[in-house]
Amino acid sequence: MATPQETVRPEVRPWPALWALVLGFFMILVDSTIVSVATPAILNDLGTDVGNVLWVTSAYLLAYAVPLLVTGRLGDRVGPKKVYLTGLALFTLASVWCGFTTTIGMLIVARVFQGLGASMMTPQTMAVITRIFPPDQRGRAMSLWGATAGVATLVGPILGGVLVDGLGWQWIFFVNAPVGVVGFVLAMRLVPNLETHPHKFDLIGVALSTAGLFCLVFGIQEGQKYDWGQIKGPISVWSLIITGLLLLVVFVVWQSRNRGEPLLPLGLFKDRNFSLANIAITTVGFAITAMAFPLMLYAQSVRGLSPTQAALLLVPMAVISGALAPFVGRLVDRTPPRFIAGFGLLCCSVAMFWLSQVMEPDLPIWELLLPIALLGVANGFMWAPIGSTATRNLPMHQAGAGAGVYNTTRQVGAVLGSAGIAVLIESRLAHNLPALPGGAPAGEGAVAGGKLPEALVQGFSDSMAQSLILPGAVLLIGLVAALMFAKPAHMARPADVPGSNDLEGLRG
């Protein structure tokens, strides 16, 4: 597996280091969800329009997703601790900048720097887990990493509602300052300085991957806003998406022919589990992102819950996911991941279809909480086995590159989920609801946060329920991928490990 130089030093204390990293990772994830609650307040306070205020989130997601391949590789070259601390400092300072802005344009610029900081931090958390935990303990470590995502999903909207109502929207950014300072001090003290590897930077690969991902992610993310047509002049949504795909194809071809050191070592995909885990996590990113939008719209527009009350519906999911984390972590280290991840993905898909069948205007809240609780079981069983399986067999000197690819596919899946669910919701609203006088879609007021007339409640509820079929179906692709996982190297005899010769070649 690892060369003698790559084995974990006995003085390294992996669990304190992981807890220090999890604090920063938690802050990033909370920030991804907390802003949505503050959007109406930002819109009113800065005197802007919906199109501009949506860029507060879009700019962050673009700056977060596009550089992940580069920042993952950078961690291998200069050390994951240095890149993580730099990203954490940038994220914290940008958060304070966001809070002090007085114009929408400056807020969007500050959010770009926040996203860049987050993109530097995220791959390093996974890379450090891969490098400081022995193979038979990485499942427990990844369980904590995954449980963090589940809890952040709950904390973000609730904390956002409390801060916006009590102190103002600026405090959803100011709150990051003390957390960032504490996280920086803990990471400085507890995260070890790991061995670096003298990678050369593939500048052509950087340019192709950055441009390709930008065009693809921007096109998908903004497609709904421009009705999938022209953006400006000759530039259209579809021309951007196609250009992005073509650039990424050229990028892959260049990586295969680059005789130096490519940005994305294609040899990583010789590991069957790495390839399958990337497919699985793409579907998870898609489904989790897509699910939240119709569920929250149903809770607020149909059931009349406040944003904070709607977020409280997710309490069973977060609590069950967190409670299962230690148990699943031990299980992941002893059980073939296809069974654990497959069970989690199946539960998630079933929960989506279940919600699509029961979301009615007069449904008792306790019945709605049952499929949401099943989502908690799914989260507990999905994240750890998929994450640990993706990186478990990779050579240590490519841990950062592998983490960068994994997080990029997860984030692209989230963008696809956001765009896909928006298109489907619009289609279902057009089908299930009549048009208002003047030709405006009947659901437009509810989507923008207005009060939904009683006559439209049933049709709107049906539209939200039917939309959840999409993430449920996409998860079935991830389920198939997970069921094809090979037994990890630490559980099998050398002769039983698929692709072991390929991995030895990589390490050589």
Side-chain angles (χ1 to χ4, degrees):
M1 294 298 291
T3 64
Q5 292 79 14
E6 291 170 335
T7 54
V8 179
R9 300 190 303 273
E11 68 271 18
V12 171
R13 296 187 300 155
W15 284 104
L18 177 59
W19 278 106
L21 293 171
V22 158
L23 181 61
F25 184 53
F26 178 79
M27 183 171 64
I28 293 171
L29 294 172
V30 166
D31 210 72
S32 299
T33 57
I34 199 172
V35 175
S36 60
V37 177
T39 297
I42 294 172
L43 190 151
N44 293 327
D45 191 47
L46 298 184
T48 185
D49 56 36
V50 173
N52 284 329
V53 83
L54 287 176
W55 266 100
V56 175
T57 298
S58 297
Y60 176 82
L61 291 175
L62 271 173
Y64 184 9
V66 170
L68 281 169
L69 280 178
V70 179
T71 56
R73 195 65 165 166
L74 191 64
D76 287 334
R77 181 175 180 177
V78 303
K81 180 177 180 178
K82 290 180 181 177
V83 177
Y84 176 86
L85 289 174
T86 303
L88 179 55
L90 178 60
F91 185 92
T92 304
L93 291 172
S95 296
V96 176
W97 182 10
C98 286
F100 281 119
T101 55
T102 55
T103 66
I104 190 65
M106 194 55 67
L107 179 58
I108 290 170
V109 172
R111 286 284 282 169
V112 168
F113 282 92
Q114 256 196 323
L116 289 173
S119 75
M120 297 176 73
M121 295 166 64
T122 301
Q124 316 316 323
T125 59
M126 243 183 124
V128 169
I129 290 172
T130 302
R131 294 180 64 178
I132 68 176
F133 282 89
D136 61 350
Q137 293 182 21
R138 282 183 207 150
R140 277 177 288 169
M142 282 293 180
S143 282
L144 177 58
W145 191 75
T148 301
V151 174
T153 302
L154 168 68
V155 170
I158 294 177
L159 181 62
V162 171
L163 290 174
V164 171
D165 291 340
L167 298 171
W169 65 265
Q170 294 87 347
W171 283 89
I172 68 172
F173 299 113
F174 287 146
V175 75
N176 289 334
V179 179
V181 170
V182 172
F184 191 94
V185 172
L186 289 176
M188 277 284 292
R189 292 173 59 90
L190 300 175
V191 177
N193 288 302
L194 299 174
E195 180 184 4
T196 59
H197 303 279
H199 295 296
K200 296 178 181 178
F201 249 98
D202 174 13
L203 296 180
I204 296 177
V206 169
L208 288 171
S209 67
T210 301
L213 282 171
F214 177 84
C215 290
L216 178 64
V217 172
F218 181 88
I220 294 170
Q221 192 169 278
E222 298 300 302
Q224 186 67 20
K225 175 182 175 181
Y226 293 100
D227 198 25
W228 302 95
Q230 296 300 117
I231 296 176
K232 191 172 184 180
I235 302 174
S236 69
V237 170
W238 285 108
S239 68
L240 276 178
I241 292 174
I242 292 170
T243 299
L245 290 171
L246 289 174
L247 285 172
L248 291 176
V249 169
V250 174
F251 168 69
V252 172
V253 172
W254 167 247
Q255 298 303 283
S256 66
R257 296 187 178 182
N258 184 357
R259 299 304 175 203
E261 189 165 6
L263 175 66
L264 173 60
L266 295 181
L268 292 174
F269 292 96
K270 292 181 179 178
D271 178 20
R272 171 175 154 187
N273 281 356
F274 180 77
S275 299
L276 291 171
N278 274 279
I279 294 172
I281 198 61
T282 301
T283 67
V284 171
F286 183 106
I288 296 300
T289 302
M291 172 271 297
F293 194 37
L295 182 59
M296 289 296 102
L297 282 173
Y298 164 81
Q300 295 179 50
S301 297
V302 176
R303 306 309 299 263
L305 303 180
S306 69
T308 302
Q309 289 172 330
L312 288 172
L313 292 176
L314 302 177
V315 166
M317 182 176 76
V319 170
I320 292 173
S321 176
L324 285 174
F327 166 74
V328 174
R330 289 190 293 271
L331 204 60
V332 167
D333 290 327
R334 300 194 304 261
T335 309
R338 69 163 67 95
F339 303 121
I340 309 172
F343 176 72
L345 285 157
L346 179 62
C347 285
C348 198
S349 183
V350 168
M352 301 287 182
F353 287 118
W354 187 355
L355 281 169
S356 75
Q357 297 303 307
V358 300
M359 277 170 47
E360 292 288 340
D362 56 352
L363 180 75
I365 290 295
W366 70 267
E367 288 190 38
L368 187 65
L369 294 178
L370 295 178
I372 291 175
L374 185 59
L375 282 173
V377 175
N379 275 305
F381 279 85
M382 284 190 309
W383 295 96
I386 296 175
S388 59
T389 301
T391 56
R392 201 188 290 270
N393 293 338
L394 296 184
M396 293 289 185
H397 69 279
Q398 291 180 343
V405 173
Y406 182 85
N407 283 285
T408 299
T409 57
R410 176 178 61 85
Q411 197 65 23
V412 169
V415 172
L416 287 170
S418 177
I421 202 69
V423 172
L424 186 57
I425 284 176
E426 183 182 77
S427 170
R428 291 293 83 204
L429 287 174
H431 180 269
N432 292 322
L433 296 180
L436 294 173
E444 190 174 273
V447 174
K451 183 174 176 62
L452 194 65
E454 187 63 31
L456 302 178
V457 165
Q458 184 64 56
F460 191 90
S461 179
D462 291 343
S463 299
M464 298 305 106
Q466 292 161 11
S467 298
L468 285 169
I469 294 174
L470 175 64
V474 169
L475 282 165
L476 296 177
I477 300 172
L479 173 61
V480 172
L483 292 176
M484 295 172 66
F485 283 159
K487 187 180 291 187
H490 77 283
M491 294 183 187
R493 299 184 303 273
D496 295 334
V497 182
S500 59
N501 292 333
D502 294 329
L503 288 173
E504 289 303 318
L506 276 172
R507 295 185 182 97

